[in-house]
Amino acid sequence: MVKELLVILISSSLVNNVVLSQFLGLCPFLGVSKKTDTATGMGVAVIFVITLASAVAGLIYQYILVPLDITYLQTIVFILVIAALVQFVEMFLKKFMPSLYQSLGVYLPLITTNCAVLGVALTNVQKNYGIMTGIVNGFATAVGFTVSIVILAGIREKLTHNDIPESFQGMPIVLVTAGLMAIAFCGFSGLL
């Protein structure tokens, strides 16, 4: 069991990185990656939401949807769970970390519609993960998202001090950088 969880941990965070391999969650990945502080804050928020959403969605799926034979409602239920969790995170940050709340801006509510969060919940169901395995998968996926966004933010901070051709300034160089990161993360595919 521990070996299986370790494989899922490495696989979900590095080999099958949600942003760089599956291309889910690109909106906050590209939008919030201008500063490492903001990217780290977004990453922590995503870790919290995805991990908790994996646990709650797994419990609801296993103990409510399956016994009542209404698994066809899984997507709607998962979206509602994710929306409630994001509201909780938003209220928490607004009260206890107002500077982070301000810096995340519109991207914090976008966690609700972040396809990576819903993608993890649906992946857990599709792969028949148990609750514990689903939580580990959710946590690892969120850690992979955080690693990716923080690396991109660090590179973007360094890029501001470089002489970039005018046609590549702004989002074009960010997309090129993200593409090169995706290629680099393909190197992890030999781990498993």
Side-chain angles (χ1 to χ4, degrees), residues 2 5 12 14-15 41 46 70 82 84 93 110 141-142 161 165 183-185:
V2 174
L5 292 178
S12 295
L14 296 176
V15 177
V46 168
I70 53 173
I82 292 164
L93 289 178
L110 282 177
T141 300
H161 304 295
I183 291 170
F185 268 69

Side-chain angles (χ1 to χ4, degrees), residues 37-132:
D37 297 343
T38 309
T40 304
M42 175 59 96
V44 170
V46 168
I47 287 173
F48 179 77
V49 170
I50 288 182
T51 305
L52 207 54
S54 296
V56 174
L59 288 168
I60 290 173
Y61 183 81
Q62 188 169 352
Y63 294 111
I64 296 174
L65 298 180
V66 171
L68 294 176
D69 196 29
I70 53 173
T71 55
Y72 57 88
L73 294 174
Q74 70 187 12
T75 304
I76 294 169
V77 171
F78 293 168
I79 290 172
L80 292 173
V81 166
I82 292 164
L85 290 172
V86 169
Q87 288 301 312
F88 173 72
V89 169
E90 190 171 4
M91 290 186 305
F92 177 82
L93 289 178
K94 190 174 187 178
K95 177 141 179 108
F96 296 107
M97 299 177 181
S99 61
L100 179 59
Y101 174 78
Q102 291 295 329
S103 65
L104 290 175
V106 71
Y107 294 100
L108 185 59
L110 282 177
I111 295 175
T112 304
T113 57
N114 185 343
C115 52
V117 182
L118 180 61
V120 170
L122 293 174
T123 298
N124 290 343
V125 170
Q126 289 172 348
K127 292 188 176 182
N128 292 323
Y129 286 159
I131 294 169
M132 185 61 187

Side-chain angles (χ1 to χ4, degrees), residues 25-39:
L26 289 175
C27 180
F29 176 70
L30 297 173
V32 185
S33 61
K34 293 178 183 168
K35 295 181 182 175
T36 53
D37 297 343
T38 309

Side-chain angles (χ1 to χ4, degrees), residues 156-175:
R156 285 181 77 172
E157 285 180 353
K158 297 289 183 189
L159 285 174
T160 59
H161 304 295
N162 291 327
D163 186 25
I164 299 170
E166 187 177 338
S167 59
F168 278 98
Q169 291 178 1
M171 195 51 67
I173 195 67
V174 173
L175 293 173

